[in-house]
Amino acid sequence: MSESPTTEAAPEAAPAAPAAAPADEAALAVDRMRRSSLGALVLLMAQAILGMWAGLYATIPDADTGQGLFASFRNALAHGPVSVATHAGFGMLVFLDACVIVVFALTVQNTLVRAASVLGWLCIAGAAMSGASFVNNSNANGASMTMAVLTFVAVSCYAVNLYVLGGRRA
């Protein structure tokens, strides 16, 4: 008995997955933007609470004043009271999140969402600069008020995103 060699057919290549339809991509972008905006709202509320904690219970060391904005931020992280260091460090994370949201906003086909995201990012940057100004000159109560107002304007911007994108799927 001889066995004849059989040639096995090569398995067929799996068909390529179809590219996502443009409507699906738009729906994913909207969903990602809504989730990111909600996350930013939560982060900003936590940051506002940390700011109140720092404002009520922290005393800025005299050695940290008068050194400039970036040195003030560095000193707040490295030498500041725990509440100020926590507020400054968390603020940096909020700022980075706002940068990511601006990038995400570019994928959404809505001018108002793009504008609100950029304005939210600018407000967070302005609040950070006001915070550094406050550490630089602890008598600058206007800087503290500016920080709070800009934070709540940023909250409003992300709330606008949620409202505008509320029921949209594409």
Side-chain angles (χ1 to χ4, degrees):
M1 242 193 200
S2 73
E3 292 185 32
S4 63
T6 58
T7 58
E8 294 185 30
E12 290 185 30
D24 292 340
E25 289 178 16
L28 288 173
V30 167
D31 187 52
R32 179 178 52 227
M33 194 65 207
R34 284 183 18 218
R35 285 184 283 118
S36 299
S37 294
L38 179 61
L41 284 172
V42 172
L43 290 176
L44 284 166
M45 290 294 114
Q47 180 66 347
I49 291 167
L50 289 172
M52 287 183 249
W53 175 43
L56 290 173
Y57 300 110
T59 302
I60 306 297
D62 290 335
D64 289 350
T65 60
Q67 295 185 8
L69 296 181
F70 292 109
S72 295
F73 176 74
R74 183 189 71 237
N75 288 339
L77 286 174
H79 308 294
V82 171
S83 60
V84 174
T86 304
H87 181 59
F90 194 75
M92 182 55 67
L93 294 176
V94 171
F95 176 76
L96 293 173
D97 181 56
C99 294
V100 170
I101 289 174
V102 168
V103 173
F104 286 168
L106 297 175
T107 65
V108 176
Q109 300 299 318
N110 189 303
T111 304
L112 183 58
V113 169
R114 290 176 179 175
S117 299
V118 170
L119 181 59
W121 172 69
L122 290 172
C123 287
I124 291 168
M129 296 304 283
S130 294
S133 175
F134 182 79
V135 171
N136 190 41
N137 178 10
S138 60
N139 293 325
N141 289 330
S144 181
M145 180 66 176
T146 301
M147 197 176 0
V149 168
L150 289 174
T151 297
F152 289 113
V153 171
V155 165
S156 299
C157 290
Y158 297 119
V160 164
N161 284 352
L162 287 175
Y163 178 76
V164 169
L165 298 173
R168 290 184 56 186
R169 288 285 172 208

